[in-house]
Amino acid sequence: MAFQYAAKVICGINRESGKLAHGVYETVVNIHSPNRDVTGFRFKLALAGEMRDGVISPFRDARILPDAAQFFSCNDLHRLFNIPAATVIDGFFVIESKEPLDVIAVYTTNDIAGNGVPAIEVERVFERVLA
């Protein structure tokens, strides 16, 4: 049995019309291990394609210590998955683990100039059980 978490991610500056509102988008995915032992997990990025399937990266292996916390930011996603910094990421950060984890997504946004009122949203990412 394995647990899977799919956190929505939006990263970058959008200047194009017809998709997201113009602005700066940042997502941080936080992982906490409530387990008593080191927990192995793996992660990938599934990009959303416009009216078609997007690119899905291979899984990467990682681990987290007991009661430890880690985060994956937009900068990390651009770097880990070789996505140019100017490219908007729209998709899902997918985590799989044999043990349960606490996964939280933090979303922030602002206008392109950074002069607007920033917005923040925090969401728990619930697991699905894979057979």
PDB file of all heavy atoms in Angstrom, residues 3 5 30-39 41 64-70 97-103 124 127:
ATOM      1  N   PHE A   3       0.776   5.786  -0.265  1.00  0.00           N
ATOM      2  CA  PHE A   3      -0.001   7.020  -0.192  1.00  0.00           C
ATOM      3  C   PHE A   3       0.475   7.951  -1.300  1.00  0.00           C
ATOM      4  O   PHE A   3       1.670   8.042  -1.555  1.00  0.00           O
ATOM      5  CB  PHE A   3       0.192   7.692   1.163  1.00  0.00           C
ATOM      6  CG  PHE A   3      -0.263   6.851   2.317  1.00  0.00           C
ATOM      7  CD1 PHE A   3       0.628   6.025   2.993  1.00  0.00           C
ATOM      8  CD2 PHE A   3      -1.583   6.870   2.718  1.00  0.00           C
ATOM      9  CE1 PHE A   3       0.216   5.246   4.057  1.00  0.00           C
ATOM     10  CE2 PHE A   3      -2.006   6.088   3.781  1.00  0.00           C
ATOM     11  CZ  PHE A   3      -1.114   5.273   4.455  1.00  0.00           C
ATOM     12  N   TYR A   5      -0.035  12.000  -2.883  1.00  0.00           N
ATOM     13  CA  TYR A   5      -0.497  13.377  -2.666  1.00  0.00           C
ATOM     14  C   TYR A   5      -0.256  14.138  -3.959  1.00  0.00           C
ATOM     15  O   TYR A   5       0.847  14.068  -4.510  1.00  0.00           O
ATOM     16  CB  TYR A   5       0.302  14.038  -1.538  1.00  0.00           C
ATOM     17  CG  TYR A   5       0.334  13.234  -0.267  1.00  0.00           C
ATOM     18  CD1 TYR A   5       1.249  12.195  -0.103  1.00  0.00           C
ATOM     19  CD2 TYR A   5      -0.556  13.493   0.760  1.00  0.00           C
ATOM     20  CE1 TYR A   5       1.276  11.445   1.059  1.00  0.00           C
ATOM     21  CE2 TYR A   5      -0.531  12.743   1.934  1.00  0.00           C
ATOM     22  CZ  TYR A   5       0.381  11.722   2.071  1.00  0.00           C
ATOM     23  OH  TYR A   5       0.411  10.983   3.217  1.00  0.00           O
ATOM     24  N   ASN A  30       4.941  22.020   1.412  1.00  0.00           N
ATOM     25  CA  ASN A  30       5.596  21.641   2.661  1.00  0.00           C
ATOM     26  C   ASN A  30       5.270  20.193   2.981  1.00  0.00           C
ATOM     27  O   ASN A  30       4.122  19.762   2.829  1.00  0.00           O
ATOM     28  CB  ASN A  30       5.095  22.514   3.820  1.00  0.00           C
ATOM     29  CG  ASN A  30       5.558  23.936   3.702  1.00  0.00           C
ATOM     30  OD1 ASN A  30       6.578  24.300   4.243  1.00  0.00           O
ATOM     31  ND2 ASN A  30       4.807  24.740   2.972  1.00  0.00           N
ATOM     32  N   ILE A  31       6.289  19.451   3.439  1.00  0.00           N
ATOM     33  CA  ILE A  31       6.122  18.049   3.819  1.00  0.00           C
ATOM     34  C   ILE A  31       6.625  17.899   5.252  1.00  0.00           C
ATOM     35  O   ILE A  31       7.720  18.360   5.583  1.00  0.00           O
ATOM     36  CB  ILE A  31       6.931  17.125   2.892  1.00  0.00           C
ATOM     37  CG1 ILE A  31       6.511  17.316   1.444  1.00  0.00           C
ATOM     38  CG2 ILE A  31       6.778  15.665   3.320  1.00  0.00           C
ATOM     39  CD1 ILE A  31       7.431  16.637   0.441  1.00  0.00           C
ATOM     40  N   HIS A  32       5.826  17.239   6.085  1.00  0.00           N
ATOM     41  CA  HIS A  32       6.229  16.916   7.454  1.00  0.00           C
ATOM     42  C   HIS A  32       6.053  15.418   7.657  1.00  0.00           C
ATOM     43  O   HIS A  32       5.075  14.837   7.185  1.00  0.00           O
ATOM     44  CB  HIS A  32       5.356  17.671   8.462  1.00  0.00           C
ATOM     45  CG  HIS A  32       5.525  17.184   9.867  1.00  0.00           C
ATOM     46  ND1 HIS A  32       4.610  16.342  10.463  1.00  0.00           N
ATOM     47  CD2 HIS A  32       6.516  17.383  10.776  1.00  0.00           C
ATOM     48  CE1 HIS A  32       5.017  16.068  11.686  1.00  0.00           C
ATOM     49  NE2 HIS A  32       6.166  16.686  11.899  1.00  0.00           N
ATOM     50  N   SER A  33       7.005  14.815   8.353  1.00  0.00           N
ATOM     51  CA  SER A  33       6.908  13.383   8.644  1.00  0.00           C
ATOM     52  C   SER A  33       6.471  13.168  10.087  1.00  0.00           C
ATOM     53  O   SER A  33       7.218  13.495  11.010  1.00  0.00           O
ATOM     54  CB  SER A  33       8.251  12.686   8.421  1.00  0.00           C
ATOM     55  OG  SER A  33       8.141  11.336   8.834  1.00  0.00           O
ATOM     56  N   PRO A  34       5.286  12.582  10.293  1.00  0.00           N
ATOM     57  CA  PRO A  34       4.857  12.249  11.649  1.00  0.00           C
ATOM     58  C   PRO A  34       5.384  10.879  12.090  1.00  0.00           C
ATOM     59  O   PRO A  34       5.049  10.403  13.174  1.00  0.00           O
ATOM     60  CB  PRO A  34       3.331  12.226  11.521  1.00  0.00           C
ATOM     61  CG  PRO A  34       3.106  11.734  10.130  1.00  0.00           C
ATOM     62  CD  PRO A  34       4.238  12.325   9.315  1.00  0.00           C
ATOM     63  N   ASN A  35       6.209  10.263  11.259  1.00  0.00           N
ATOM     64  CA  ASN A  35       6.652   8.888  11.493  1.00  0.00           C
ATOM     65  C   ASN A  35       7.838   8.829  12.446  1.00  0.00           C
ATOM     66  O   ASN A  35       8.551   9.804  12.646  1.00  0.00           O
ATOM     67  CB  ASN A  35       6.991   8.232  10.152  1.00  0.00           C
ATOM     68  CG  ASN A  35       5.807   8.292   9.214  1.00  0.00           C
ATOM     69  OD1 ASN A  35       4.725   7.840   9.552  1.00  0.00           O
ATOM     70  ND2 ASN A  35       5.986   8.895   8.045  1.00  0.00           N
ATOM     71  N   ARG A  36       8.068   7.644  13.022  1.00  0.00           N
ATOM     72  CA  ARG A  36       9.145   7.450  14.006  1.00  0.00           C
ATOM     73  C   ARG A  36      10.461   7.032  13.373  1.00  0.00           C
ATOM     74  O   ARG A  36      11.485   6.967  14.043  1.00  0.00           O
ATOM     75  CB  ARG A  36       8.714   6.427  15.040  1.00  0.00           C
ATOM     76  CG  ARG A  36       7.555   6.915  15.857  1.00  0.00           C
ATOM     77  CD  ARG A  36       7.088   5.865  16.819  1.00  0.00           C
ATOM     78  NE  ARG A  36       5.815   6.285  17.383  1.00  0.00           N
ATOM     79  CZ  ARG A  36       5.579   6.350  18.664  1.00  0.00           C
ATOM     80  NH1 ARG A  36       6.496   5.988  19.521  1.00  0.00           N
ATOM     81  NH2 ARG A  36       4.408   6.746  19.089  1.00  0.00           N
ATOM     82  N   ASP A  37      10.435   6.705  12.092  1.00  0.00           N
ATOM     83  CA  ASP A  37      11.635   6.303  11.374  1.00  0.00           C
ATOM     84  C   ASP A  37      11.828   7.194  10.150  1.00  0.00           C
ATOM     85  O   ASP A  37      10.903   7.901   9.745  1.00  0.00           O
ATOM     86  CB  ASP A  37      11.519   4.844  10.910  1.00  0.00           C
ATOM     87  CG  ASP A  37      11.453   3.877  12.078  1.00  0.00           C
ATOM     88  OD1 ASP A  37      12.274   4.007  12.999  1.00  0.00           O
ATOM     89  OD2 ASP A  37      10.564   2.999  12.064  1.00  0.00           O
ATOM     90  N   VAL A  38      13.002   7.135   9.561  1.00  0.00           N
ATOM     91  CA  VAL A  38      13.241   7.839   8.303  1.00  0.00           C
ATOM     92  C   VAL A  38      12.232   7.322   7.278  1.00  0.00           C
ATOM     93  O   VAL A  38      12.000   6.119   7.180  1.00  0.00           O
ATOM     94  CB  VAL A  38      14.686   7.604   7.803  1.00  0.00           C
ATOM     95  CG1 VAL A  38      14.879   8.190   6.418  1.00  0.00           C
ATOM     96  CG2 VAL A  38      15.688   8.185   8.796  1.00  0.00           C
ATOM     97  N   THR A  39      11.623   8.222   6.562  1.00  0.00           N
ATOM     98  CA  THR A  39      10.592   7.855   5.585  1.00  0.00           C
ATOM     99  C   THR A  39      11.082   8.188   4.184  1.00  0.00           C
ATOM    100  O   THR A  39      11.425   9.340   3.901  1.00  0.00           O
ATOM    101  CB  THR A  39       9.275   8.608   5.867  1.00  0.00           C
ATOM    102  OG1 THR A  39       8.840   8.279   7.188  1.00  0.00           O
ATOM    103  CG2 THR A  39       8.205   8.240   4.866  1.00  0.00           C
ATOM    104  N   PHE A  41      10.390   8.752   0.244  1.00  0.00           N
ATOM    105  CA  PHE A  41       9.284   9.157  -0.621  1.00  0.00           C
ATOM    106  C   PHE A  41       9.849   9.458  -1.986  1.00  0.00           C
ATOM    107  O   PHE A  41      11.063   9.514  -2.187  1.00  0.00           O
ATOM    108  CB  PHE A  41       8.496  10.336  -0.035  1.00  0.00           C
ATOM    109  CG  PHE A  41       9.252  11.649   0.048  1.00  0.00           C
ATOM    110  CD1 PHE A  41       9.135  12.601  -0.962  1.00  0.00           C
ATOM    111  CD2 PHE A  41      10.046  11.938   1.140  1.00  0.00           C
ATOM    112  CE1 PHE A  41       9.806  13.808  -0.880  1.00  0.00           C
ATOM    113  CE2 PHE A  41      10.724  13.144   1.238  1.00  0.00           C
ATOM    114  CZ  PHE A  41      10.603  14.083   0.225  1.00  0.00           C
ATOM    115  N   ILE A  64      12.939  11.749   4.360  1.00  0.00           N
ATOM    116  CA  ILE A  64      12.700  12.760   5.378  1.00  0.00           C
ATOM    117  C   ILE A  64      12.864  12.108   6.755  1.00  0.00           C
ATOM    118  O   ILE A  64      12.426  10.969   6.962  1.00  0.00           O
ATOM    119  CB  ILE A  64      11.310  13.425   5.189  1.00  0.00           C
ATOM    120  CG1 ILE A  64      11.120  14.600   6.136  1.00  0.00           C
ATOM    121  CG2 ILE A  64      10.188  12.402   5.304  1.00  0.00           C
ATOM    122  CD1 ILE A  64       9.902  15.460   5.806  1.00  0.00           C
ATOM    123  N   LEU A  65      13.515  12.793   7.666  1.00  0.00           N
ATOM    124  CA  LEU A  65      13.759  12.280   9.011  1.00  0.00           C
ATOM    125  C   LEU A  65      12.488  12.334   9.853  1.00  0.00           C
ATOM    126  O   LEU A  65      11.555  13.091   9.534  1.00  0.00           O
ATOM    127  CB  LEU A  65      14.869  13.090   9.681  1.00  0.00           C
ATOM    128  CG  LEU A  65      16.246  13.025   9.025  1.00  0.00           C
ATOM    129  CD1 LEU A  65      17.212  13.986   9.718  1.00  0.00           C
ATOM    130  CD2 LEU A  65      16.775  11.604   9.043  1.00  0.00           C
ATOM    131  N   PRO A  66      12.436  11.579  10.956  1.00  0.00           N
ATOM    132  CA  PRO A  66      11.271  11.623  11.839  1.00  0.00           C
ATOM    133  C   PRO A  66      11.015  13.037  12.352  1.00  0.00           C
ATOM    134  O   PRO A  66      11.955  13.728  12.772  1.00  0.00           O
ATOM    135  CB  PRO A  66      11.657  10.695  12.990  1.00  0.00           C
ATOM    136  CG  PRO A  66      12.727   9.811  12.455  1.00  0.00           C
ATOM    137  CD  PRO A  66      13.452  10.624  11.424  1.00  0.00           C
ATOM    138  N   ASP A  67       9.784  13.454  12.294  1.00  0.00           N
ATOM    139  CA  ASP A  67       9.316  14.761  12.767  1.00  0.00           C
ATOM    140  C   ASP A  67       9.962  15.939  12.036  1.00  0.00           C
ATOM    141  O   ASP A  67       9.843  17.085  12.444  1.00  0.00           O
ATOM    142  CB  ASP A  67       9.529  14.906  14.276  1.00  0.00           C
ATOM    143  CG  ASP A  67       8.625  15.975  14.875  1.00  0.00           C
ATOM    144  OD1 ASP A  67       7.509  16.174  14.336  1.00  0.00           O
ATOM    145  OD2 ASP A  67       9.020  16.623  15.855  1.00  0.00           O
ATOM    146  N   ALA A  68      10.640  15.678  10.931  1.00  0.00           N
ATOM    147  CA  ALA A  68      11.286  16.737  10.156  1.00  0.00           C
ATOM    148  C   ALA A  68      10.301  17.346   9.163  1.00  0.00           C
ATOM    149  O   ALA A  68       9.243  16.780   8.881  1.00  0.00           O
ATOM    150  CB  ALA A  68      12.505  16.197   9.419  1.00  0.00           C
ATOM    151  N   ALA A  69      10.680  18.499   8.644  1.00  0.00           N
ATOM    152  CA  ALA A  69       9.876  19.187   7.636  1.00  0.00           C
ATOM    153  C   ALA A  69      10.789  19.635   6.497  1.00  0.00           C
ATOM    154  O   ALA A  69      11.947  19.994   6.723  1.00  0.00           O
ATOM    155  CB  ALA A  69       9.160  20.388   8.247  1.00  0.00           C
ATOM    156  N   GLN A  70      10.249  19.591   5.286  1.00  0.00           N
ATOM    157  CA  GLN A  70      10.948  20.040   4.084  1.00  0.00           C
ATOM    158  C   GLN A  70       9.976  20.880   3.264  1.00  0.00           C
ATOM    159  O   GLN A  70       8.762  20.780   3.431  1.00  0.00           O
ATOM    160  CB  GLN A  70      11.402  18.857   3.227  1.00  0.00           C
ATOM    161  CG  GLN A  70      12.348  17.909   3.888  1.00  0.00           C
ATOM    162  CD  GLN A  70      12.732  16.744   2.992  1.00  0.00           C
ATOM    163  OE1 GLN A  70      12.423  16.707   1.801  1.00  0.00           O
ATOM    164  NE2 GLN A  70      13.416  15.776   3.566  1.00  0.00           N
ATOM    165  N   SER A  97       4.536   7.854  -0.997  1.00  0.00           N
ATOM    166  CA  SER A  97       5.250   7.344   0.156  1.00  0.00           C
ATOM    167  C   SER A  97       4.549   6.097   0.669  1.00  0.00           C
ATOM    168  O   SER A  97       3.324   5.967   0.544  1.00  0.00           O
ATOM    169  CB  SER A  97       5.264   8.411   1.257  1.00  0.00           C
ATOM    170  OG  SER A  97       5.805   7.897   2.452  1.00  0.00           O
ATOM    171  N   LYS A  98       5.312   5.183   1.269  1.00  0.00           N
ATOM    172  CA  LYS A  98       4.709   4.001   1.888  1.00  0.00           C
ATOM    173  C   LYS A  98       4.145   4.322   3.264  1.00  0.00           C
ATOM    174  O   LYS A  98       3.372   3.556   3.814  1.00  0.00           O
ATOM    175  CB  LYS A  98       5.727   2.865   1.970  1.00  0.00           C
ATOM    176  CG  LYS A  98       6.066   2.305   0.612  1.00  0.00           C
ATOM    177  CD  LYS A  98       6.978   1.115   0.700  1.00  0.00           C
ATOM    178  CE  LYS A  98       7.255   0.618  -0.724  1.00  0.00           C
ATOM    179  NZ  LYS A  98       8.206  -0.482  -0.737  1.00  0.00           N
ATOM    180  N   GLU A  99       4.549   5.443   3.827  1.00  0.00           N
ATOM    181  CA  GLU A  99       4.062   5.893   5.125  1.00  0.00           C
ATOM    182  C   GLU A  99       3.309   7.214   4.937  1.00  0.00           C
ATOM    183  O   GLU A  99       3.613   7.975   4.015  1.00  0.00           O
ATOM    184  CB  GLU A  99       5.232   6.103   6.094  1.00  0.00           C
ATOM    185  CG  GLU A  99       6.066   4.867   6.337  1.00  0.00           C
ATOM    186  CD  GLU A  99       5.304   3.754   7.027  1.00  0.00           C
ATOM    187  OE1 GLU A  99       4.403   4.057   7.835  1.00  0.00           O
ATOM    188  OE2 GLU A  99       5.612   2.578   6.764  1.00  0.00           O
ATOM    189  N   PRO A 100       2.346   7.519   5.802  1.00  0.00           N
ATOM    190  CA  PRO A 100       1.624   8.782   5.657  1.00  0.00           C
ATOM    191  C   PRO A 100       2.518   9.981   5.949  1.00  0.00           C
ATOM    192  O   PRO A 100       3.452   9.901   6.743  1.00  0.00           O
ATOM    193  CB  PRO A 100       0.493   8.669   6.694  1.00  0.00           C
ATOM    194  CG  PRO A 100       0.986   7.681   7.690  1.00  0.00           C
ATOM    195  CD  PRO A 100       1.879   6.730   6.947  1.00  0.00           C
ATOM    196  N   LEU A 101       2.236  11.078   5.293  1.00  0.00           N
ATOM    197  CA  LEU A 101       2.945  12.339   5.479  1.00  0.00           C
ATOM    198  C   LEU A 101       1.927  13.454   5.666  1.00  0.00           C
ATOM    199  O   LEU A 101       0.760  13.317   5.283  1.00  0.00           O
ATOM    200  CB  LEU A 101       3.812  12.647   4.256  1.00  0.00           C
ATOM    201  CG  LEU A 101       4.948  11.681   3.950  1.00  0.00           C
ATOM    202  CD1 LEU A 101       5.515  11.958   2.555  1.00  0.00           C
ATOM    203  CD2 LEU A 101       6.027  11.769   5.006  1.00  0.00           C
ATOM    204  N   ASP A 102       2.359  14.555   6.218  1.00  0.00           N
ATOM    205  CA  ASP A 102       1.562  15.781   6.243  1.00  0.00           C
ATOM    206  C   ASP A 102       2.045  16.629   5.077  1.00  0.00           C
ATOM    207  O   ASP A 102       3.237  16.955   5.000  1.00  0.00           O
ATOM    208  CB  ASP A 102       1.763  16.541   7.555  1.00  0.00           C
ATOM    209  CG  ASP A 102       1.359  15.722   8.774  1.00  0.00           C
ATOM    210  OD1 ASP A 102       0.353  14.998   8.687  1.00  0.00           O
ATOM    211  OD2 ASP A 102       2.071  15.797   9.790  1.00  0.00           O
ATOM    212  N   VAL A 103       1.143  16.969   4.166  1.00  0.00           N
ATOM    213  CA  VAL A 103       1.507  17.765   2.998  1.00  0.00           C
ATOM    214  C   VAL A 103       0.604  18.998   2.960  1.00  0.00           C
ATOM    215  O   VAL A 103      -0.625  18.879   2.992  1.00  0.00           O
ATOM    216  CB  VAL A 103       1.380  16.950   1.689  1.00  0.00           C
ATOM    217  CG1 VAL A 103       1.733  17.802   0.481  1.00  0.00           C
ATOM    218  CG2 VAL A 103       2.262  15.707   1.754  1.00  0.00           C
ATOM    219  N   ARG A 124      -4.378  21.977   3.002  1.00  0.00           N
ATOM    220  CA  ARG A 124      -3.870  20.629   3.264  1.00  0.00           C
ATOM    221  C   ARG A 124      -4.105  19.788   2.023  1.00  0.00           C
ATOM    222  O   ARG A 124      -5.176  19.839   1.423  1.00  0.00           O
ATOM    223  CB  ARG A 124      -4.585  20.020   4.454  1.00  0.00           C
ATOM    224  CG  ARG A 124      -4.098  18.620   4.728  1.00  0.00           C
ATOM    225  CD  ARG A 124      -4.632  18.046   5.997  1.00  0.00           C
ATOM    226  NE  ARG A 124      -4.135  16.670   6.103  1.00  0.00           N
ATOM    227  CZ  ARG A 124      -4.752  15.731   6.747  1.00  0.00           C
ATOM    228  NH1 ARG A 124      -5.874  15.989   7.379  1.00  0.00           N
ATOM    229  NH2 ARG A 124      -4.250  14.522   6.796  1.00  0.00           N
ATOM    230  N   GLU A 127      -4.290  12.682   1.180  1.00  0.00           N
ATOM    231  CA  GLU A 127      -3.717  11.521   0.505  1.00  0.00           C
ATOM    232  C   GLU A 127      -4.805  10.692  -0.157  1.00  0.00           C
ATOM    233  O   GLU A 127      -5.961  10.743   0.214  1.00  0.00           O
ATOM    234  CB  GLU A 127      -2.954  10.637   1.504  1.00  0.00           C
ATOM    235  CG  GLU A 127      -3.830   9.844   2.445  1.00  0.00           C
ATOM    236  CD  GLU A 127      -4.314  10.616   3.659  1.00  0.00           C
ATOM    237  OE1 GLU A 127      -3.876  11.757   3.901  1.00  0.00           O
ATOM    238  OE2 GLU A 127      -5.181  10.078   4.377  1.00  0.00           O
TER     239      GLU A 127
END
